[in-house]
């Protein structure tokens, strides 16, 4: 967080958005597991739906735009789909716990 910005309390709406963000990120992780077990088409569908849901959520939630400014651009990259999803999920968890890393 920038020293110039004053962190604000996480509202109930923000917490809901963070929980949804985590859910969609974990679904990307589940898609990776599905692909590892031979369910490639299902994994592709899960990733596409989760990334679209994240896009919609971030676009509708100023709090998420503030804390994850580059997320929209990252969504369809190999890095996000392979392992970046877990970093975003952990950051969301930290925000929910009140840890402003």
């Amino acid at each position: 967080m920038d020293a110039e910005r004053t962190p604000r309390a996480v509202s109930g709406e923000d917490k809901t958005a963070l929980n949804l963000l985590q859910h969609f990120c974990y679904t990307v992780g589940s898609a990776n597991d599905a692909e590892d077990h031979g369910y490639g088409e299902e994994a592709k569908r899960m990733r596409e739906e989760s990334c679209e849901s994240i896009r919609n959520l971030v676009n509708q939630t100023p709090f998420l735009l503030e804390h994850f400014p580059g997320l929209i651009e990252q969504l369809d990259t190999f890095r996000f789909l392979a392992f970046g999803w877990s970093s975003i999920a952990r950051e969301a968890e930290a925000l929910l716990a009140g840890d402003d890393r």
Side-chain angles (χ1 to χ4, degrees), residues 12-88:
E13 187 177 305
D14 297 337
K15 288 179 183 180
T16 299
L18 287 166
N19 280 310
L20 285 168
L21 178 60
Q22 278 188 297
H23 167 75
F24 297 134
C25 285
Y26 289 136
T27 301
V28 171
S30 294
N32 293 343
D33 291 340
E35 186 170 50
D36 291 345
H37 289 91
Y39 298 96
E41 286 302 312
E42 181 66 10
K44 180 180 176 185
R45 182 194 62 74
M46 290 169 68
R47 284 189 199 102
E48 287 173 355
E49 288 177 2
S50 292
C51 288
E52 185 63 26
S53 294
I54 291 170
R55 273 187 201 84
N56 291 335
L57 183 64
V58 171
N59 284 329
Q60 295 173 19
T61 311
F63 179 84
L64 294 180
L65 280 171
E66 178 183 325
H67 289 279
F68 303 94
L71 181 56
I72 296 293
E73 292 77 22
Q74 295 175 33
L75 285 175
D76 291 320
T77 66
F78 174 78
R79 183 188 183 293
F80 179 82
L81 295 174
F83 54 86
W85 63 268
S86 63
S87 297
I88 298 297

Side-chain angles (χ1 to χ4, degrees), residues 18 22 26 68 88-99 101:
L18 287 166
Q22 278 188 297
Y26 289 136
F68 303 94
I88 298 297
R90 280 193 305 273
E91 288 179 45
E93 183 177 352
L95 287 166
L96 283 165
D99 181 4
R101 295 177 190 194

